[in-house]
Amino acid sequence: MEKVILTGDRPTGKLHLGHFVGSLKRRVELQNSGEFDKIFVMIADAQALTDNADNPEKVRQNVIEVALDYLSVGIDPAKTTIFIQSQVPELTELAFYYMNLVSVARVQRNPTVKTEIKMRNFEQSIPVGFFCYPVSQASDITAFKATVVPVGEDQAPMIELTREIVTRFNHIYGDTLAMPEIMLPENQVCMRLPGTDGQAKMSKSLGNCIYLSDTAKEVAKKVKSMYTDPQHLNISDPGHLEGNCPFIYLDAFSNDGHFEKYLPEYKNLQELKDHYTRGGLGDGTVKKFLINVLEETLAPIRERRKEWEQNIPAVYDILKEGSEKAREVAAKTLDEVRAAMKINYFDDLDLVKEQSKKYGN
Ligand code: ATP
Ligand code: MG
């Protein structure tokens, strides 16, 4: 069986550190591992419209931002097909058929959707399209016969639903769809990186992000105002690590080499944590170190972005070519789905024969 990856992001804003640790970093590693037959990365504009129907300009502007972020982190169009969801209409048709295989109650149970409905004040009136986006995600994944989906933890319920749809589809219509596996970050903190305000998830919609395209000055400012330990008033006070953003970010980004380079008084993160909990270590020192650590990741991304920004038509060409390639693959799956569902009337010569015989001609 082919090894295929599909992941994507909503063009609702620029990509941030949560995306980087939750999914982007892994994608680039997998891309360069040479272990996969095909890799697809999707800019999910149709999904973004499910909760931004009244703001198409926002989605349009952010398609190019997300594409620039992809290219800056090292997603290579020679190895990975980058495409725009709405340019592959086969995905919409698949979603329409899959909707028959899922109950309303099943979607309502999805904890990520539940949180998102609350966050968007959709409790009273939820757009049908938004409610159904997990089903549309199942078509994105299955259209490319993806076997591996590298995403953050918030996507686990979507992959679970996709797996149920695949099982149900294959059971009713015969073996057609490939079964996907979720691939979560290995590092626990990277599964759901909190926001700079200490909220559970860094998210475009919550405005608590450090963006990959932020300037060094913006990053420093955001780190300096990060949520730490409200009880740690004096440097000599013992500090608490739980929910302490700079330490959580260090868990995600720092390594022993960073200590050697920027904070040689400590061998590793454990020593720094021990000092903080004992008392006598100020938040300023931790934050200054974190700024240096983050810059190691962000500076090269920023540089590559600047280069691509000089050539926007080339970026659109990459998206166009990728979308055409993606469409071919999705169309092939759709043909198989239609055949399995017996709605391939004009390709099925047996059908004509069978019906003719029934009417004696
Ligand atoms: P929105 O608020 O518009 O939903 P978002 O910030 O949640 O935006 P998405 O485009 O929904 O971003 O998510 C894209 C991918 O990034 C998904 O795989 C998701 O799991 C991952 N991801 C997003 N935020 C985080 C985070 N804070 N930590 C880890 N992974 C994340
Ligand atoms: Mg999201």
Side-chain angles (χ1 to χ4, degrees), residues 244-280:
N244 192 318
C245 280
F247 279 101
I248 297 173
Y249 284 48
L250 286 175
D251 272 328
F253 288 94
S254 74
N255 58 43
D256 294 356
H258 292 139
F259 279 91
E260 211 179 308
K261 199 161 162 193
Y262 301 113
L263 205 58
E265 303 91 286
Y266 303 88
K267 250 209 233 56
N268 53 39
L269 186 53
Q270 195 51 52
E271 281 191 6
L272 190 74
K273 284 181 177 174
D274 289 345
H275 191 184
Y276 191 78
T277 45
R278 252 195 338 267

mmCIF file of all heavy atoms in Angstrom, residues 244-280:
data_model
loop_
_atom_site.group_PDB
_atom_site.id
_atom_site.type_symbol
_atom_site.label_atom_id
_atom_site.label_comp_id
_atom_site.label_asym_id
_atom_site.label_seq_id
_atom_site.Cartn_x
_atom_site.Cartn_y
_atom_site.Cartn_z
ATOM 1 N N ASN A 244 2.916 27.997 33.394
ATOM 2 C CA ASN A 244 3.894 29.083 33.239
ATOM 3 C C ASN A 244 4.419 29.080 31.793
ATOM 4 O O ASN A 244 5.249 28.250 31.414
ATOM 5 C CB ASN A 244 5.024 28.842 34.254
ATOM 6 C CG ASN A 244 5.932 30.036 34.388
ATOM 7 O OD1 ASN A 244 6.291 30.658 33.386
ATOM 8 N ND2 ASN A 244 6.293 30.364 35.611
ATOM 9 N N CYS A 245 3.911 30.021 31.012
ATOM 10 C CA CYS A 245 4.171 29.981 29.558
ATOM 11 C C CYS A 245 5.637 29.872 29.154
ATOM 12 O O CYS A 245 5.990 28.994 28.371
ATOM 13 C CB CYS A 245 3.555 31.179 28.876
ATOM 14 S SG CYS A 245 1.825 30.951 28.626
ATOM 15 N N PRO A 246 6.524 30.761 29.646
ATOM 16 C CA PRO A 246 7.913 30.659 29.177
ATOM 17 C C PRO A 246 8.484 29.253 29.372
ATOM 18 O O PRO A 246 9.193 28.740 28.501
ATOM 19 C CB PRO A 246 8.648 31.685 30.021
ATOM 20 C CG PRO A 246 7.605 32.690 30.378
ATOM 21 C CD PRO A 246 6.335 31.906 30.535
ATOM 22 N N PHE A 247 8.164 28.620 30.500
ATOM 23 C CA PHE A 247 8.694 27.271 30.720
ATOM 24 C C PHE A 247 8.053 26.250 29.771
ATOM 25 O O PHE A 247 8.719 25.339 29.298
ATOM 26 C CB PHE A 247 8.524 26.859 32.188
ATOM 27 C CG PHE A 247 9.610 27.425 33.057
ATOM 28 C CD1 PHE A 247 9.374 28.551 33.833
ATOM 29 C CD2 PHE A 247 10.877 26.858 33.056
ATOM 30 C CE1 PHE A 247 10.386 29.098 34.614
ATOM 31 C CE2 PHE A 247 11.896 27.398 33.833
ATOM 32 C CZ PHE A 247 11.656 28.520 34.613
ATOM 33 N N ILE A 248 6.768 26.421 29.510
ATOM 34 C CA ILE A 248 6.109 25.491 28.569
ATOM 35 C C ILE A 248 6.736 25.636 27.176
ATOM 36 O O ILE A 248 7.027 24.652 26.505
ATOM 37 C CB ILE A 248 4.583 25.757 28.515
ATOM 38 C CG1 ILE A 248 3.984 25.488 29.899
ATOM 39 C CG2 ILE A 248 3.909 24.884 27.459
ATOM 40 C CD1 ILE A 248 2.527 25.868 30.034
ATOM 41 N N TYR A 249 6.996 26.878 26.786
ATOM 42 C CA TYR A 249 7.615 27.111 25.470
ATOM 43 C C TYR A 249 9.042 26.563 25.441
ATOM 44 O O TYR A 249 9.481 26.052 24.411
ATOM 45 C CB TYR A 249 7.611 28.602 25.122
ATOM 46 C CG TYR A 249 6.262 29.113 24.694
ATOM 47 C CD1 TYR A 249 5.124 28.821 25.431
ATOM 48 C CD2 TYR A 249 6.114 29.879 23.550
ATOM 49 C CE1 TYR A 249 3.881 29.276 25.046
ATOM 50 C CE2 TYR A 249 4.866 30.347 23.159
ATOM 51 C CZ TYR A 249 3.755 30.043 23.917
ATOM 52 O OH TYR A 249 2.517 30.492 23.533
ATOM 53 N N LEU A 250 9.737 26.666 26.586
ATOM 54 C CA LEU A 250 11.100 26.099 26.618
ATOM 55 C C LEU A 250 11.037 24.578 26.486
ATOM 56 O O LEU A 250 11.875 23.971 25.841
ATOM 57 C CB LEU A 250 11.824 26.508 27.900
ATOM 58 C CG LEU A 250 12.290 27.980 27.935
ATOM 59 C CD1 LEU A 250 12.896 28.321 29.296
ATOM 60 C CD2 LEU A 250 13.291 28.274 26.817
ATOM 61 N N ASP A 251 9.999 23.981 27.112
ATOM 62 C CA ASP A 251 9.808 22.529 26.947
ATOM 63 C C ASP A 251 9.685 22.172 25.471
ATOM 64 O O ASP A 251 10.168 21.146 25.019
ATOM 65 C CB ASP A 251 8.520 22.077 27.666
ATOM 66 C CG ASP A 251 8.760 21.718 29.120
ATOM 67 O OD1 ASP A 251 9.862 21.232 29.422
ATOM 68 O OD2 ASP A 251 7.853 21.935 29.940
ATOM 69 N N ALA A 252 9.011 23.049 24.723
ATOM 70 C CA ALA A 252 8.755 22.757 23.308
ATOM 71 C C ALA A 252 9.961 23.078 22.418
ATOM 72 O O ALA A 252 10.183 22.412 21.417
ATOM 73 C CB ALA A 252 7.534 23.535 22.822
ATOM 74 N N PHE A 253 10.729 24.091 22.778
ATOM 75 C CA PHE A 253 11.717 24.599 21.811
ATOM 76 C C PHE A 253 13.183 24.454 22.228
ATOM 77 O O PHE A 253 14.059 24.501 21.369
ATOM 78 C CB PHE A 253 11.460 26.090 21.532
ATOM 79 C CG PHE A 253 10.239 26.336 20.705
ATOM 80 C CD1 PHE A 253 9.018 26.608 21.289
ATOM 81 C CD2 PHE A 253 10.304 26.272 19.319
ATOM 82 C CE1 PHE A 253 7.880 26.822 20.525
ATOM 83 C CE2 PHE A 253 9.180 26.482 18.540
ATOM 84 C CZ PHE A 253 7.972 26.759 19.146
ATOM 85 N N SER A 254 13.471 24.344 23.537
ATOM 86 C CA SER A 254 14.893 24.453 23.913
ATOM 87 C C SER A 254 15.588 23.106 23.930
ATOM 88 O O SER A 254 14.957 22.056 24.074
ATOM 89 C CB SER A 254 15.017 25.103 25.290
ATOM 90 O OG SER A 254 14.637 24.194 26.295
ATOM 91 N N ASN A 255 16.902 23.155 23.764
ATOM 92 C CA ASN A 255 17.719 21.948 23.940
ATOM 93 C C ASN A 255 18.985 22.324 24.708
ATOM 94 O O ASN A 255 19.236 23.510 24.964
ATOM 95 C CB ASN A 255 18.026 21.303 22.581
ATOM 96 C CG ASN A 255 18.746 22.266 21.657
ATOM 97 O OD1 ASN A 255 19.668 22.978 22.077
ATOM 98 N ND2 ASN A 255 18.347 22.312 20.394
ATOM 99 N N ASP A 256 19.774 21.320 25.068
ATOM 100 C CA ASP A 256 20.949 21.585 25.909
ATOM 101 C C ASP A 256 21.930 22.525 25.213
ATOM 102 O O ASP A 256 22.602 23.326 25.866
ATOM 103 C CB ASP A 256 21.650 20.266 26.274
ATOM 104 C CG ASP A 256 20.749 19.405 27.166
ATOM 105 O OD1 ASP A 256 19.645 19.882 27.530
ATOM 106 O OD2 ASP A 256 21.138 18.270 27.479
ATOM 107 N N GLY A 257 22.006 22.434 23.896
ATOM 108 C CA GLY A 257 22.901 23.315 23.122
ATOM 109 C C GLY A 257 22.558 24.788 23.334
ATOM 110 O O GLY A 257 23.450 25.637 23.396
ATOM 111 N N HIS A 258 21.261 25.078 23.450
ATOM 112 C CA HIS A 258 20.840 26.464 23.688
ATOM 113 C C HIS A 258 21.390 26.975 25.019
ATOM 114 O O HIS A 258 21.756 28.134 25.144
ATOM 115 C CB HIS A 258 19.312 26.570 23.720
ATOM 116 C CG HIS A 258 18.664 26.325 22.388
ATOM 117 N ND1 HIS A 258 17.519 25.591 22.248
ATOM 118 C CD2 HIS A 258 19.004 26.727 21.148
ATOM 119 C CE1 HIS A 258 17.173 25.540 20.970
ATOM 120 N NE2 HIS A 258 18.065 26.225 20.283
ATOM 121 N N PHE A 259 21.420 26.085 26.030
ATOM 122 C CA PHE A 259 21.931 26.509 27.340
ATOM 123 C C PHE A 259 23.413 26.837 27.233
ATOM 124 O O PHE A 259 23.870 27.860 27.727
ATOM 125 C CB PHE A 259 21.677 25.421 28.396
ATOM 126 C CG PHE A 259 20.266 25.467 28.910
ATOM 127 C CD1 PHE A 259 19.264 24.709 28.312
ATOM 128 C CD2 PHE A 259 19.927 26.312 29.953
ATOM 129 C CE1 PHE A 259 17.963 24.785 28.762
ATOM 130 C CE2 PHE A 259 18.621 26.396 30.407
ATOM 131 C CZ PHE A 259 17.632 25.632 29.810
ATOM 132 N N GLU A 260 24.132 25.967 26.544
ATOM 133 C CA GLU A 260 25.571 26.178 26.390
ATOM 134 C C GLU A 260 25.825 27.540 25.725
ATOM 135 O O GLU A 260 26.735 28.269 26.101
ATOM 136 C CB GLU A 260 26.107 25.051 25.500
ATOM 137 C CG GLU A 260 27.517 24.657 25.817
ATOM 138 C CD GLU A 260 27.933 23.524 24.895
ATOM 139 O OE1 GLU A 260 27.194 22.515 24.814
ATOM 140 O OE2 GLU A 260 28.983 23.672 24.256
ATOM 141 N N LYS A 261 24.978 27.852 24.755
ATOM 142 C CA LYS A 261 25.198 29.060 23.961
ATOM 143 C C LYS A 261 24.715 30.342 24.654
ATOM 144 O O LYS A 261 25.389 31.357 24.615
ATOM 145 C CB LYS A 261 24.445 28.871 22.634
ATOM 146 C CG LYS A 261 24.889 29.770 21.529
ATOM 147 C CD LYS A 261 24.431 29.198 20.178
ATOM 148 C CE LYS A 261 24.447 30.240 19.100
ATOM 149 N NZ LYS A 261 23.738 29.797 17.901
ATOM 150 N N TYR A 262 23.550 30.270 25.291
ATOM 151 C CA TYR A 262 22.944 31.510 25.795
ATOM 152 C C TYR A 262 22.849 31.611 27.317
ATOM 153 O O TYR A 262 22.628 32.696 27.843
ATOM 154 C CB TYR A 262 21.519 31.655 25.230
ATOM 155 C CG TYR A 262 21.434 31.679 23.736
ATOM 156 C CD1 TYR A 262 20.817 30.641 23.036
ATOM 157 C CD2 TYR A 262 21.980 32.740 23.009
ATOM 158 C CE1 TYR A 262 20.740 30.665 21.658
ATOM 159 C CE2 TYR A 262 21.901 32.765 21.631
ATOM 160 C CZ TYR A 262 21.280 31.725 20.964
ATOM 161 O OH TYR A 262 21.206 31.752 19.597
ATOM 162 N N LEU A 263 22.924 30.472 28.016
ATOM 163 C CA LEU A 263 22.739 30.522 29.468
ATOM 164 C C LEU A 263 23.612 29.445 30.125
ATOM 165 O O LEU A 263 23.110 28.508 30.746
ATOM 166 C CB LEU A 263 21.243 30.278 29.786
ATOM 167 C CG LEU A 263 20.674 30.830 31.082
ATOM 168 C CD1 LEU A 263 20.844 32.335 31.188
ATOM 169 C CD2 LEU A 263 19.196 30.471 31.221
ATOM 170 N N PRO A 264 24.946 29.595 29.972
ATOM 171 C CA PRO A 264 25.850 28.506 30.375
ATOM 172 C C PRO A 264 25.884 28.266 31.885
ATOM 173 O O PRO A 264 26.442 27.259 32.334
ATOM 174 C CB PRO A 264 27.224 28.963 29.856
ATOM 175 C CG PRO A 264 27.089 30.423 29.604
ATOM 176 C CD PRO A 264 25.660 30.721 29.350
ATOM 177 N N GLU A 265 25.221 29.168 32.667
ATOM 178 C CA GLU A 265 25.165 28.921 34.117
ATOM 179 C C GLU A 265 24.352 27.666 34.427
ATOM 180 O O GLU A 265 24.442 27.104 35.510
ATOM 181 C CB GLU A 265 24.483 30.100 34.858
ATOM 182 C CG GLU A 265 25.109 31.460 34.641
ATOM 183 C CD GLU A 265 24.489 32.210 33.455
ATOM 184 O OE1 GLU A 265 24.805 31.813 32.302
ATOM 185 O OE2 GLU A 265 23.725 33.154 33.665
ATOM 186 N N TYR A 266 23.532 27.261 33.469
ATOM 187 C CA TYR A 266 22.707 26.057 33.675
ATOM 188 C C TYR A 266 23.049 25.045 32.592
ATOM 189 O O TYR A 266 23.269 25.416 31.436
ATOM 190 C CB TYR A 266 21.211 26.401 33.578
ATOM 191 C CG TYR A 266 20.787 27.468 34.559
ATOM 192 C CD1 TYR A 266 20.893 28.813 34.203
ATOM 193 C CD2 TYR A 266 20.313 27.140 35.820
ATOM 194 C CE1 TYR A 266 20.525 29.809 35.099
ATOM 195 C CE2 TYR A 266 19.944 28.142 36.718
ATOM 196 C CZ TYR A 266 20.052 29.465 36.347
ATOM 197 O OH TYR A 266 19.689 30.456 37.232
ATOM 198 N N LYS A 267 23.038 23.755 32.977
ATOM 199 C CA LYS A 267 23.362 22.708 31.996
ATOM 200 C C LYS A 267 22.172 22.418 31.097
ATOM 201 O O LYS A 267 22.310 22.154 29.915
ATOM 202 C CB LYS A 267 23.762 21.436 32.744
ATOM 203 C CG LYS A 267 25.240 21.119 32.599
ATOM 204 C CD LYS A 267 25.443 19.623 32.701
ATOM 205 C CE LYS A 267 26.468 19.187 33.713
ATOM 206 N NZ LYS A 267 26.384 19.567 35.080
ATOM 207 N N ASN A 268 21.005 22.425 31.731
ATOM 208 C CA ASN A 268 19.809 22.043 30.971
ATOM 209 C C ASN A 268 18.554 22.653 31.592
ATOM 210 O O ASN A 268 18.629 23.342 32.617
ATOM 211 C CB ASN A 268 19.696 20.515 30.905
ATOM 212 C CG ASN A 268 19.769 19.903 32.289
ATOM 213 O OD1 ASN A 268 19.221 20.459 33.240
ATOM 214 N ND2 ASN A 268 20.468 18.789 32.416
ATOM 215 N N LEU A 269 17.418 22.361 30.975
ATOM 216 C CA LEU A 269 16.144 22.957 31.389
ATOM 217 C C LEU A 269 15.774 22.534 32.810
ATOM 218 O O LEU A 269 15.220 23.321 33.576
ATOM 219 C CB LEU A 269 15.049 22.557 30.389
ATOM 220 C CG LEU A 269 13.690 23.201 30.576
ATOM 221 C CD1 LEU A 269 13.777 24.716 30.638
ATOM 222 C CD2 LEU A 269 12.738 22.788 29.442
ATOM 223 N N GLN A 270 16.116 21.303 33.171
ATOM 224 C CA GLN A 270 15.771 20.827 34.510
ATOM 225 C C GLN A 270 16.442 21.697 35.572
ATOM 226 O O GLN A 270 15.810 22.080 36.563
ATOM 227 C CB GLN A 270 16.160 19.350 34.663
ATOM 228 C CG GLN A 270 15.521 18.663 35.869
ATOM 229 C CD GLN A 270 13.997 18.863 35.917
ATOM 230 O OE1 GLN A 270 13.296 18.605 34.943
ATOM 231 N NE2 GLN A 270 13.471 19.359 37.037
ATOM 232 N N GLU A 271 17.716 22.038 35.342
ATOM 233 C CA GLU A 271 18.435 22.881 36.325
ATOM 234 C C GLU A 271 17.774 24.246 36.450
ATOM 235 O O GLU A 271 17.646 24.794 37.543
ATOM 236 C CB GLU A 271 19.900 23.057 35.897
ATOM 237 C CG GLU A 271 20.764 21.857 36.239
ATOM 238 C CD GLU A 271 22.259 22.141 36.050
ATOM 239 O OE1 GLU A 271 22.624 23.306 35.753
ATOM 240 O OE2 GLU A 271 23.041 21.196 36.203
ATOM 241 N N LEU A 272 17.356 24.788 35.321
ATOM 242 C CA LEU A 272 16.695 26.106 35.327
ATOM 243 C C LEU A 272 15.364 26.023 36.082
ATOM 244 O O LEU A 272 15.044 26.882 36.897
ATOM 245 C CB LEU A 272 16.461 26.568 33.882
ATOM 246 C CG LEU A 272 16.006 28.016 33.715
ATOM 247 C CD1 LEU A 272 17.165 28.981 33.953
ATOM 248 C CD2 LEU A 272 15.441 28.259 32.312
ATOM 249 N N LYS A 273 14.621 24.953 35.819
ATOM 250 C CA LYS A 273 13.332 24.758 36.499
ATOM 251 C C LYS A 273 13.532 24.618 38.008
ATOM 252 O O LYS A 273 12.792 25.198 38.803
ATOM 253 C CB LYS A 273 12.646 23.492 35.966
ATOM 254 C CG LYS A 273 12.008 23.658 34.600
ATOM 255 C CD LYS A 273 11.346 22.356 34.179
ATOM 256 C CE LYS A 273 10.632 22.496 32.851
ATOM 257 N NZ LYS A 273 10.105 21.226 32.353
ATOM 258 N N ASP A 274 14.555 23.837 38.386
ATOM 259 C CA ASP A 274 14.816 23.624 39.814
ATOM 260 C C ASP A 274 15.103 24.950 40.507
ATOM 261 O O ASP A 274 14.594 25.220 41.601
ATOM 262 C CB ASP A 274 16.001 22.661 40.004
ATOM 263 C CG ASP A 274 15.634 21.240 39.609
ATOM 264 O OD1 ASP A 274 14.420 20.964 39.467
ATOM 265 O OD2 ASP A 274 16.555 20.411 39.419
ATOM 266 N N HIS A 275 15.919 25.787 39.864
ATOM 267 C CA HIS A 275 16.248 27.082 40.457
ATOM 268 C C HIS A 275 14.984 27.941 40.606
ATOM 269 O O HIS A 275 14.775 28.587 41.634
ATOM 270 C CB HIS A 275 17.297 27.798 39.595
ATOM 271 C CG HIS A 275 17.889 29.004 40.267
ATOM 272 N ND1 HIS A 275 18.779 29.845 39.648
ATOM 273 C CD2 HIS A 275 17.708 29.519 41.519
ATOM 274 C CE1 HIS A 275 19.104 30.821 40.481
ATOM 275 N NE2 HIS A 275 18.477 30.640 41.614
ATOM 276 N N TYR A 276 14.146 27.898 39.586
ATOM 277 C CA TYR A 276 12.916 28.718 39.603
ATOM 278 C C TYR A 276 11.991 28.290 40.739
ATOM 279 O O TYR A 276 11.460 29.123 41.471
ATOM 280 C CB TYR A 276 12.202 28.577 38.255
ATOM 281 C CG TYR A 276 11.076 29.567 38.046
ATOM 282 C CD1 TYR A 276 11.334 30.884 37.688
ATOM 283 C CD2 TYR A 276 9.746 29.168 38.186
ATOM 284 C CE1 TYR A 276 10.303 31.793 37.482
ATOM 285 C CE2 TYR A 276 8.703 30.071 37.982
ATOM 286 C CZ TYR A 276 8.986 31.379 37.623
ATOM 287 O OH TYR A 276 7.956 32.269 37.420
ATOM 288 N N THR A 277 11.813 26.989 40.891
ATOM 289 C CA THR A 277 10.885 26.515 41.941
ATOM 290 C C THR A 277 11.480 26.707 43.341
ATOM 291 O O THR A 277 10.740 26.886 44.307
ATOM 292 C CB THR A 277 10.502 25.034 41.744
ATOM 293 O OG1 THR A 277 11.685 24.282 41.447
ATOM 294 C CG2 THR A 277 9.549 24.847 40.571
ATOM 295 N N ARG A 278 12.809 26.694 43.434
ATOM 296 C CA ARG A 278 13.470 26.958 44.724
ATOM 297 C C ARG A 278 13.316 28.417 45.123
ATOM 298 O O ARG A 278 13.239 28.767 46.289
ATOM 299 C CB ARG A 278 14.980 26.699 44.548
ATOM 300 C CG ARG A 278 15.502 25.467 45.212
ATOM 301 C CD ARG A 278 17.006 25.387 45.352
ATOM 302 N NE ARG A 278 17.864 26.151 44.491
ATOM 303 C CZ ARG A 278 18.392 25.716 43.339
ATOM 304 N NH1 ARG A 278 18.103 24.510 42.906
ATOM 305 N NH2 ARG A 278 19.206 26.477 42.634
ATOM 306 N N GLY A 279 13.279 29.290 44.126
ATOM 307 C CA GLY A 279 13.286 30.737 44.378
ATOM 308 C C GLY A 279 14.639 31.316 44.029
ATOM 309 O O GLY A 279 15.644 30.599 44.035
ATOM 310 N N GLY A 280 14.632 32.606 43.667
ATOM 311 C CA GLY A 280 15.906 33.267 43.368
ATOM 312 C C GLY A 280 16.168 33.445 41.881
ATOM 313 O O GLY A 280 17.225 33.933 41.486
#
